[in-house]
Amino acid sequence: MRVPRPETGQLAGQFPYVRVGDGPKTVLVIPGIGDAMFDGEYGRPGAMGVAVQFRRFLEEYTVYVVSRPRGLPEGTSIRELAQNYAHVLERHVEPASVLGISMGGLIGQELAYERPDLVDRLVVAVAGCRLAAESVRVLRRLRRYGVEGRWTEIRSAFLEAMYTGWRRQLYPRLSRTVGRIRPPAPADPDDFLHSVDAVLEYDATDRLARIEPRTLVIGGDDDPFFPERILRETHDELPDAQLAMFRGARHGAFLERKEAFDDWVRQFLAGEPARARS
């Protein structure tokens, strides 16, 4: 299908966004921690990349990808970020289904807990109720890299965590070599540090049972940050949830298994019966 031209700008003068499609229903996409590593301006290439990524949703949905403000205060919590997105939904979008990816999945859980009136359905993608204990050391190391401005190394580490097979070997190597020509350029380097701190501190295990919107928990069983046991724990404690598990997939399951991922999400948002788990 032809990909429509996306709209870009800043909601309330502080939330960079891309809007694409004109479907009758709305999906709000909350991005992951990598959102803190770009300059906060969706140029034409970035906006078209968003449009292509969600092209299979555009007949049924209007898709908003909404970034967080630049210059996050020290001590910003996932709860405070969820309150920001509640403001976005109330004032600038409308009640919508929410697709939270990685860190965005944490924000989505908190948003659905605090403001179920704004969330039709929730997709928690490559995320769970808390970070796996064994990955805390990894994130702390990446935070230290952020203090030192080692953005190419941070990107390379995330690429290794995301992919499998030849991609896991090739993509980090490319990031460290040809990728040095265009390293990540965060508008405010502290945003990455504060985002890492918010992820490290977040734990929703005591609130899962009170999250009202129907939820899809979807990810890879070999995700180093949110592995199978975390995904299952999250699913099992939610009162109305579905689980989709990709065998052998890591943190980038939403990209590496994109067609199947999109199928799961679209069927879930449409309210169709669950298929067998992947």
Side-chain angles (χ1 to χ4, degrees):
M1 65 171 291
R2 178 179 173 273
V3 177
R5 183 173 180 175
E7 169 189 301
T8 64
Q10 291 202 355
L11 299 175
Q14 60 178 332
F15 298 92
Y17 79 97
V18 178
R19 177 188 182 275
V20 62
D22 56 2
K25 296 178 282 187
T26 304
V27 174
L28 171 70
V29 180
I30 306 178
I33 202 167
D35 184 66
M37 293 175 60
F38 89 119
D39 61 12
E41 296 290 337
Y42 282 105
R44 181 170 175 78
M48 285 304 300
V50 168
V52 170
Q53 181 180 359
F54 292 100
R55 65 186 182 278
R56 296 181 65 202
F57 292 80
L58 300 183
E59 290 187 6
E60 300 102 346
Y61 299 97
T62 300
V63 177
Y64 283 84
V65 177
V66 180
S67 290
R68 293 174 279 285
R70 306 299 97 173
L72 296 176
E74 185 176 1
T76 296
S77 67
I78 295 296
R79 183 186 183 193
E80 290 168 326
L81 294 172
Q83 291 169 346
N84 286 343
Y85 279 98
H87 174 82
V88 166
L89 287 168
E90 281 186 312
R91 303 290 179 87
H92 304 286
V93 185
E94 59 186 8
S97 291
V98 172
L99 167 57
I101 301 171
S102 190
M103 179 181 176
L106 310 186
I107 297 170
Q109 289 172 79
E110 200 65 20
L111 174 61
Y113 169 71
E114 294 220 343
R115 294 298 307 272
D117 57 308
L118 296 176
V119 180
D120 294 332
R121 288 194 168 210
L122 172 64
V123 179
V124 177
V126 294
C129 58
R130 58 187 172 83
L131 192 69
E134 61 269 28
S135 64
V136 169
R137 180 175 55 83
V138 175
L139 266 191
R140 286 177 175 163
R141 172 169 56 86
L142 297 183
R143 188 191 190 283
R144 186 172 68 251
Y145 288 174
V147 171
E148 298 167 355
R150 297 161 64 179
W151 304 110
T152 300
E153 293 181 57
I154 294 171
R155 180 178 61 191
S156 300
F158 278 129
L159 288 170
E160 184 175 354
M162 291 175 69
Y163 290 99
T164 62
W166 62 268
R167 293 179 180 86
R168 187 179 177 189
Q169 302 299 319
L170 178 62
Y171 290 176
R173 189 179 308 143
L174 290 175
S175 174
R176 290 190 294 267
T177 54
V178 297
R180 289 187 177 276
I181 298 171
R182 295 191 65 182
D188 187 333
D190 285 346
D191 284 347
F192 177 74
L193 310 183
H194 300 158
S195 297
V196 170
D197 291 341
V199 171
L200 288 170
E201 292 173 4
Y202 188 70
D203 189 335
T205 52
D206 64 339
R207 297 187 291 287
L208 289 176
R210 290 173 284 169
I211 291 178
E212 296 178 17
R214 180 156 175 76
T215 303
L216 171 65
V217 179
I218 180 168
D221 67 342
D222 197 28
D223 188 324
F225 301 114
F226 302 98
E228 179 173 356
R229 71 177 187 281
I230 299 292
L231 299 182
R232 290 193 180 279
E233 175 186 348
T234 305
H235 165 264
D236 291 346
E237 293 298 322
L238 286 163
D240 187 7
Q242 180 178 337
L243 176 66
M245 190 87 66
F246 293 102
R247 296 296 177 193
R250 290 170 65 80
H251 196 58
F254 65 102
L255 296 173
E256 200 168 38
R257 308 286 180 88
K258 179 169 176 48
E259 184 173 352
F261 177 90
D262 288 353
D263 286 345
W264 269 107
V265 173
R266 290 173 65 206
Q267 289 183 27
F268 171 77
L269 295 181
E272 297 178 14
R275 303 175 306 164
R277 293 174 182 174
S278 299

